[in-house]
Amino acid sequence: MTIKDVAAAAGVGVATVSRVLSGRGSVSPKTRDRVLVAVRELDYRPSALGRSLKLQRTGSLGLMIPDVTDPFYAALAGGVLACARTLGEHVILDVGHDDTAREAEIVERFLEQRVDGVIAVPAGGDDAIWRSALRAGVTVVFADRGLAELPEVPAVLADDRAGVRSAVEYLVGLGHRRVGLLGGPASGAPGTPVLTAREEGFRATLRDLGVPVDDDLVVRARPSRDSAYAAAASLFQRRPDVTAVLAAGHLLGEAAVLAARELNLRVPADVSIAMVDDVPWAELCDPPLTAVARPAADMGYRACEVLLRDPARRERGRPVVLPTELVVRGSCGPPAGRSPRG
């Protein structure tokens, strides 16, 4: 069925049907009712393709995250979806797995589908595909990570340095001086800018507090459960004098908890554990895990707002930085034989 069929059934012109369906223009209540009855009887559905050609908008945006099963990125995607729904936008979701080749394929597909804009957690390491999208006139907003090579692209970020600082200050305040860090791969690998910033924040905070930075207590892992577990177990076995560990992400935090359990280390009596990202399972640990809460859903919602409703922010290209919060639970305590500072 076409709009002409609806017009004929209602006994009106095509322009009148168009005004009723778009909600624009003046139409008498009686005529509107007649048109809507015809629409229902004919089971007419407006053509999204025709509407997009007329409006030069598809009413859809692309969203790319690293992993749909990751609880943090699932919450971020939920924030984007919630905002898009309120603004009448459709979201096309795809997963990049921090793979630059896959990222390029996804962005090309978004461009082919003529999305109105793209929200992405970029892998990093290759900005060419994003420059191509910008040249094509697509609005891009980054979330969780920005790209130093593209400062003109606005990003919505969490204040990771402040979050790490709050965790390190808390551990040192409890009396810990041998604090380890479970971090990400070496700088330059895909997806590492945020993890690198967390390591820098960790080191800077220890220096500011007058605690020597022991490089041997800083270990790195690739973004996989096996690598994270191997790094955590190695740290605990190689340095039995470590009294507290900060995991730079929830995958690393999970590995620290599992490795401590396998090695019969009591938490927090033998070692205190804290991590970045307050994912749901953190409360289910025994004891519950102290964590730096980053506002994943708010990050996604705000990224969608910047994309669709904040042209001034897009033009400035300055990042939106959202606050973090340290959620203190039972996994941290003073080192054995010590009491926390007053």
Side-chain angles (χ1 to χ4, degrees):
M1 291 296 169
T2 68
I3 193 170
K4 291 182 180 180
D5 297 318
V6 174
V12 299
V14 170
T16 301
V17 177
S18 180
R19 286 198 296 272
V20 171
L21 296 179
S22 66
R24 298 173 182 173
S26 176
V27 180
S28 70
K30 185 179 293 186
T31 300
R32 178 179 289 103
D33 290 343
R34 209 160 65 239
V35 169
L36 294 177
V37 167
V39 166
R40 286 195 297 272
E41 289 179 347
L42 297 175
D43 197 22
Y44 170 74
R45 290 177 175 81
S47 167
L49 177 60
R51 185 169 57 247
S52 66
L53 289 172
K54 181 177 179 180
L55 299 176
Q56 292 297 298
R57 293 185 75 255
T58 60
S60 63
L61 58 90
L63 170 63
M64 186 181 67
I65 58 176
D67 183 356
V68 75
T69 65
D70 184 295
F72 178 84
Y73 290 120
L76 188 150
V80 173
L81 291 168
C83 178
R85 192 175 299 116
T86 64
L87 299 176
E89 291 280 323
H90 173 68
V91 178
I92 303 172
L93 173 65
D94 212 328
V95 178
H97 294 298
D98 277 333
D99 182 308
T100 53
R102 183 177 177 86
E103 178 177 87
E105 293 175 3
I106 292 170
V107 175
E108 284 293 345
R109 193 176 306 123
F110 284 159
L111 295 180
E112 291 171 1
Q113 293 171 320
R114 298 293 191 270
V115 295
D116 297 328
V118 175
I119 298 170
V121 181
D126 183 5
D127 61 333
I129 184 60
W130 297 111
R131 293 191 184 280
S132 174
L134 295 174
R135 284 195 300 271
V138 174
T139 303
V140 177
V141 175
F142 293 142
D144 186 43
R145 311 170 188 160
L147 290 182
E149 300 86 354
L150 290 172
E152 67 272 26
V153 175
V156 180
L157 313 171
D159 195 344
D160 283 293
R161 288 180 182 272
V164 168
R165 174 170 287 274
S166 66
V168 175
E169 288 178 339
Y170 174 64
L171 292 172
V172 172
L174 289 172
H176 294 281
R177 294 297 179 271
R178 292 185 296 279
V179 182
L181 176 72
L182 288 175
S187 179
T192 59
V194 171
L195 293 174
T196 301
R198 291 174 193 170
E199 180 177 331
E200 291 171 353
F202 173 82
R203 292 175 176 274
T205 304
L206 286 180
R207 286 194 297 267
D208 292 345
L209 295 173
V211 178
V213 178
D214 188 339
D215 289 333
D216 195 44
L217 292 178
V218 177
V219 296
R220 300 183 181 90
R222 295 186 303 279
S224 72
R225 280 185 165 79
D226 288 344
S227 180
Y229 179 83
S234 171
L235 174 63
F236 289 144
Q237 291 174 316
R238 184 170 42 80
R239 291 295 301 266
D241 59 329
V242 65
T243 62
V245 170
L246 174 63
H250 63 82
L251 189 68
L252 294 159
E254 175 186 303
V257 171
L258 291 175
R261 184 181 302 163
E262 289 292 325
L263 295 170
N264 294 317
L265 294 174
R266 298 167 299 164
V267 178
D270 296 325
V271 63
S272 291
I273 298 176
M275 73 176 179
V276 176
D277 281 339
D278 186 23
V279 291
W281 61 259
E283 287 187 283
L284 304 178
C285 288
D286 183 20
L289 213 60
T290 294
V292 176
R294 301 193 308 136
D298 289 348
M299 203 180 299
Y301 198 100
R302 187 72 182 98
C304 186
E305 283 188 325
V306 170
L307 181 72
L308 299 175
R309 295 174 53 175
D310 198 345
R313 174 72 66 174
R314 294 199 303 270
E315 290 170 5
R316 290 194 299 270
R318 295 179 193 163
V320 177
V321 181
L322 302 181
T324 57
E325 178 187 3
L326 180 65
V327 181
V328 175
R329 299 193 180 100
S331 64
C332 297
R338 296 284 300 276
S339 359
R341 285 191 315 212

